[in-house]
Amino acid sequence: MSLADAFADGPAFVPYLVAGDPDYESSLEYVEALERGGADVIELGLPFSEPIAEGPTIQNAIVRALEGGMTPERYFEFVEDLDVSIPVVCMTYYNLIYRYGDAEGPRPFVEKAADVGIEGFVVPDLPAEEADPLREACDEFGLDLVFIVAPTTRGDRLDRIMQQVSGYVYVQARLGTTGAKSNVSDQTGSSLDRLSDYDVPKAVGFGISSGEHAERIVRGGADGIIVGSALVDIVAQGYENDESAKTTAERLETLAHELKSGAVDGVSQRPPHSERT
């Protein structure tokens, strides 16, 4: 299934977890639980030692995964071992992509990613102005390149990003780093309005933690929701409380179902002309 297919039949639920958090086998079980809960795409984090876009929750998950032995090669093995039928998007930082293999440049990493079944990339520290080599490699191997659009992204910079993006655009709901929040940002509606003329699915992330949040975001016009920290929190709690992987997986599946149901409810509650949140 392609990313286009994932967004074709209603609002897409795009959860994020860090591969290998807190260990390889448990992490496989957790990702598969998200598909059972209704995920349409998985954003699977490849741990990097300097995750500048992440808040404490995901930073700690990255530390656990790195301490558990996760590496780029192990990550590719992880993707091959996953028993899921939905698209997997690699979220990581450009240094790992650029330095992979014997030659500098993104092509070897992209080729390997395509080989194991990855459908696209999110690279938070790669500016659109410097993304041509990765865009060309993605085009060569048929992968998508997702960009993050912040509430402050406008004008020529926004146009440049939207010329490079494919698959979906990651709409950052609020300024700052990732992390679950108790409310939906009032910046979301204006961000979606700025993107309304661009023909690519818009998935909103940063701060979504409940079905109610998902419903409001989709009711306001989003084509999908991206949820990371609220799910990573469940993994962390299971690890800290020494719970079984099965128990943690069940909790992930339950929250995934709530989030997906909220997104679906948001479509049915849209007023005429998609009044924004």
mmCIF file of all heavy atoms in Angstrom, residues 186-208:
data_model
loop_
_atom_site.group_PDB
_atom_site.id
_atom_site.type_symbol
_atom_site.label_atom_id
_atom_site.label_comp_id
_atom_site.label_asym_id
_atom_site.label_seq_id
_atom_site.Cartn_x
_atom_site.Cartn_y
_atom_site.Cartn_z
ATOM 1 N N ASP A 186 -4.738 26.690 18.796
ATOM 2 C CA ASP A 186 -5.566 27.527 17.929
ATOM 3 C C ASP A 186 -4.818 27.959 16.670
ATOM 4 O O ASP A 186 -5.365 28.650 15.820
ATOM 5 C CB ASP A 186 -6.091 28.748 18.692
ATOM 6 C CG ASP A 186 -4.982 29.614 19.281
ATOM 7 O OD1 ASP A 186 -3.795 29.360 18.970
ATOM 8 O OD2 ASP A 186 -5.294 30.526 20.068
ATOM 9 N N GLN A 187 -3.545 27.536 16.542
ATOM 10 C CA GLN A 187 -2.776 27.823 15.322
ATOM 11 C C GLN A 187 -3.090 26.827 14.201
ATOM 12 O O GLN A 187 -2.750 27.064 13.047
ATOM 13 C CB GLN A 187 -1.271 27.773 15.625
ATOM 14 C CG GLN A 187 -0.799 28.828 16.616
ATOM 15 C CD GLN A 187 0.649 28.616 17.023
ATOM 16 O OE1 GLN A 187 1.090 27.489 17.251
ATOM 17 N NE2 GLN A 187 1.402 29.694 17.101
ATOM 18 N N THR A 188 -3.743 25.723 14.552
ATOM 19 C CA THR A 188 -3.956 24.657 13.581
ATOM 20 C C THR A 188 -4.803 25.108 12.406
ATOM 21 O O THR A 188 -4.481 24.847 11.242
ATOM 22 C CB THR A 188 -4.611 23.442 14.255
ATOM 23 O OG1 THR A 188 -3.813 23.041 15.368
ATOM 24 C CG2 THR A 188 -4.755 22.293 13.274
ATOM 25 N N GLY A 189 -5.911 25.794 12.685
ATOM 26 C CA GLY A 189 -6.808 26.222 11.623
ATOM 27 C C GLY A 189 -6.139 27.140 10.621
ATOM 28 O O GLY A 189 -6.302 26.978 9.403
ATOM 29 N N SER A 190 -5.363 28.101 11.112
ATOM 30 C CA SER A 190 -4.706 29.032 10.197
ATOM 31 C C SER A 190 -3.636 28.316 9.369
ATOM 32 O O SER A 190 -3.413 28.639 8.197
ATOM 33 C CB SER A 190 -4.090 30.203 10.969
ATOM 34 O OG SER A 190 -3.144 29.749 11.915
ATOM 35 N N SER A 191 -2.973 27.316 9.963
ATOM 36 C CA SER A 191 -1.987 26.543 9.205
ATOM 37 C C SER A 191 -2.655 25.771 8.078
ATOM 38 O O SER A 191 -2.154 25.727 6.948
ATOM 39 C CB SER A 191 -1.252 25.573 10.137
ATOM 40 O OG SER A 191 -0.456 26.279 11.067
ATOM 41 N N LEU A 192 -3.790 25.157 8.369
ATOM 42 C CA LEU A 192 -4.513 24.424 7.321
ATOM 43 C C LEU A 192 -5.021 25.369 6.234
ATOM 44 O O LEU A 192 -4.996 25.035 5.042
ATOM 45 C CB LEU A 192 -5.674 23.648 7.932
ATOM 46 C CG LEU A 192 -5.279 22.429 8.777
ATOM 47 C CD1 LEU A 192 -6.479 21.912 9.551
ATOM 48 C CD2 LEU A 192 -4.688 21.327 7.911
ATOM 49 N N ASP A 193 -5.468 26.547 6.630
ATOM 50 C CA ASP A 193 -5.933 27.535 5.648
ATOM 51 C C ASP A 193 -4.820 27.907 4.673
ATOM 52 O O ASP A 193 -5.051 28.040 3.471
ATOM 53 C CB ASP A 193 -6.439 28.795 6.354
ATOM 54 C CG ASP A 193 -7.786 28.584 7.020
ATOM 55 O OD1 ASP A 193 -8.488 27.622 6.646
ATOM 56 O OD2 ASP A 193 -8.127 29.377 7.928
ATOM 57 N N ARG A 194 -3.596 28.080 5.171
ATOM 58 C CA ARG A 194 -2.476 28.457 4.313
ATOM 59 C C ARG A 194 -2.142 27.372 3.294
ATOM 60 O O ARG A 194 -1.555 27.658 2.249
ATOM 61 C CB ARG A 194 -1.220 28.744 5.152
ATOM 62 C CG ARG A 194 -1.256 30.039 5.902
ATOM 63 C CD ARG A 194 0.151 30.537 6.264
ATOM 64 N NE ARG A 194 1.032 29.495 6.735
ATOM 65 C CZ ARG A 194 1.022 28.979 7.956
ATOM 66 N NH1 ARG A 194 0.140 29.412 8.845
ATOM 67 N NH2 ARG A 194 1.876 28.041 8.314
ATOM 68 N N LEU A 195 -2.505 26.136 3.615
ATOM 69 C CA LEU A 195 -2.152 25.011 2.752
ATOM 70 C C LEU A 195 -3.297 24.563 1.850
ATOM 71 O O LEU A 195 -3.152 23.601 1.087
ATOM 72 C CB LEU A 195 -1.714 23.825 3.617
ATOM 73 C CG LEU A 195 -0.453 24.040 4.450
ATOM 74 C CD1 LEU A 195 -0.275 22.906 5.439
ATOM 75 C CD2 LEU A 195 0.765 24.160 3.546
ATOM 76 N N SER A 196 -4.410 25.242 1.928
ATOM 77 C CA SER A 196 -5.620 24.756 1.252
ATOM 78 C C SER A 196 -5.484 24.694 -0.271
ATOM 79 O O SER A 196 -6.171 23.898 -0.921
ATOM 80 C CB SER A 196 -6.822 25.626 1.627
ATOM 81 O OG SER A 196 -6.616 26.970 1.229
ATOM 82 N N ASP A 197 -4.615 25.498 -0.852
ATOM 83 C CA ASP A 197 -4.468 25.513 -2.312
ATOM 84 C C ASP A 197 -3.509 24.432 -2.828
ATOM 85 O O ASP A 197 -3.366 24.270 -4.044
ATOM 86 C CB ASP A 197 -3.971 26.881 -2.785
ATOM 87 C CG ASP A 197 -5.027 27.970 -2.610
ATOM 88 O OD1 ASP A 197 -6.222 27.615 -2.571
ATOM 89 O OD2 ASP A 197 -4.650 29.147 -2.504
ATOM 90 N N TYR A 198 -2.845 23.717 -1.925
ATOM 91 C CA TYR A 198 -1.868 22.709 -2.341
ATOM 92 C C TYR A 198 -2.517 21.326 -2.333
ATOM 93 O O TYR A 198 -3.130 20.923 -1.340
ATOM 94 C CB TYR A 198 -0.655 22.723 -1.413
ATOM 95 C CG TYR A 198 0.114 24.026 -1.436
ATOM 96 C CD1 TYR A 198 -0.060 24.977 -0.435
ATOM 97 C CD2 TYR A 198 1.026 24.297 -2.454
ATOM 98 C CE1 TYR A 198 0.647 26.166 -0.441
ATOM 99 C CE2 TYR A 198 1.743 25.489 -2.469
ATOM 100 C CZ TYR A 198 1.552 26.418 -1.461
ATOM 101 O OH TYR A 198 2.253 27.599 -1.465
ATOM 102 N N ASP A 199 -2.336 20.609 -3.428
ATOM 103 C CA ASP A 199 -3.008 19.327 -3.610
ATOM 104 C C ASP A 199 -2.156 18.184 -3.068
ATOM 105 O O ASP A 199 -1.581 17.385 -3.811
ATOM 106 C CB ASP A 199 -3.308 19.108 -5.099
ATOM 107 C CG ASP A 199 -4.146 17.865 -5.341
ATOM 108 O OD1 ASP A 199 -4.812 17.418 -4.394
ATOM 109 O OD2 ASP A 199 -4.112 17.341 -6.473
ATOM 110 N N VAL A 200 -2.069 18.098 -1.752
ATOM 111 C CA VAL A 200 -1.373 17.021 -1.068
ATOM 112 C C VAL A 200 -2.064 16.837 0.276
ATOM 113 O O VAL A 200 -2.534 17.821 0.874
ATOM 114 C CB VAL A 200 0.133 17.358 -0.886
ATOM 115 C CG1 VAL A 200 0.322 18.578 -0.002
ATOM 116 C CG2 VAL A 200 0.911 16.173 -0.330
ATOM 117 N N PRO A 201 -2.206 15.615 0.771
ATOM 118 C CA PRO A 201 -2.869 15.425 2.066
ATOM 119 C C PRO A 201 -2.157 16.181 3.191
ATOM 120 O O PRO A 201 -0.922 16.256 3.222
ATOM 121 C CB PRO A 201 -2.787 13.913 2.274
ATOM 122 C CG PRO A 201 -2.691 13.345 0.908
ATOM 123 C CD PRO A 201 -1.885 14.321 0.123
ATOM 124 N N LYS A 202 -2.969 16.725 4.087
ATOM 125 C CA LYS A 202 -2.443 17.482 5.223
ATOM 126 C C LYS A 202 -2.697 16.691 6.507
ATOM 127 O O LYS A 202 -3.840 16.472 6.896
ATOM 128 C CB LYS A 202 -3.108 18.858 5.348
ATOM 129 C CG LYS A 202 -2.746 19.832 4.237
ATOM 130 C CD LYS A 202 -3.667 19.692 3.051
ATOM 131 C CE LYS A 202 -3.332 20.712 1.952
ATOM 132 N NZ LYS A 202 -4.080 20.416 0.706
ATOM 133 N N ALA A 203 -1.609 16.255 7.163
ATOM 134 C CA ALA A 203 -1.711 15.523 8.421
ATOM 135 C C ALA A 203 -1.155 16.392 9.536
ATOM 136 O O ALA A 203 -0.033 16.898 9.440
ATOM 137 C CB ALA A 203 -0.954 14.206 8.334
ATOM 138 N N VAL A 204 -1.933 16.564 10.587
ATOM 139 C CA VAL A 204 -1.578 17.469 11.677
ATOM 140 C C VAL A 204 -0.979 16.681 12.831
ATOM 141 O O VAL A 204 -1.527 15.655 13.259
ATOM 142 C CB VAL A 204 -2.810 18.260 12.158
ATOM 143 C CG1 VAL A 204 -2.479 19.098 13.398
ATOM 144 C CG2 VAL A 204 -3.326 19.165 11.037
ATOM 145 N N GLY A 205 0.145 17.167 13.353
ATOM 146 C CA GLY A 205 0.790 16.552 14.501
ATOM 147 C C GLY A 205 1.281 17.584 15.487
ATOM 148 O O GLY A 205 1.069 18.781 15.309
ATOM 149 N N PHE A 206 1.949 17.119 16.546
ATOM 150 C CA PHE A 206 2.461 17.906 17.667
ATOM 151 C C PHE A 206 1.336 18.180 18.670
ATOM 152 O O PHE A 206 0.554 19.109 18.512
ATOM 153 C CB PHE A 206 3.075 19.242 17.227
ATOM 154 C CG PHE A 206 4.511 19.168 16.783
ATOM 155 C CD1 PHE A 206 4.897 18.315 15.767
ATOM 156 C CD2 PHE A 206 5.487 19.956 17.378
ATOM 157 C CE1 PHE A 206 6.208 18.247 15.337
ATOM 158 C CE2 PHE A 206 6.803 19.902 16.953
ATOM 159 C CZ PHE A 206 7.174 19.046 15.942
ATOM 160 N N GLY A 207 1.224 17.345 19.686
ATOM 161 C CA GLY A 207 0.349 17.639 20.814
ATOM 162 C C GLY A 207 -0.950 16.859 20.876
ATOM 163 O O GLY A 207 -1.672 16.961 21.860
ATOM 164 N N ILE A 208 -1.292 16.076 19.858
ATOM 165 C CA ILE A 208 -2.556 15.338 19.862
ATOM 166 C C ILE A 208 -2.422 14.135 20.797
ATOM 167 O O ILE A 208 -1.470 13.357 20.694
ATOM 168 C CB ILE A 208 -2.915 14.869 18.445
ATOM 169 C CG1 ILE A 208 -3.085 16.070 17.518
ATOM 170 C CG2 ILE A 208 -4.177 14.021 18.461
ATOM 171 C CD1 ILE A 208 -3.214 15.702 16.053
#
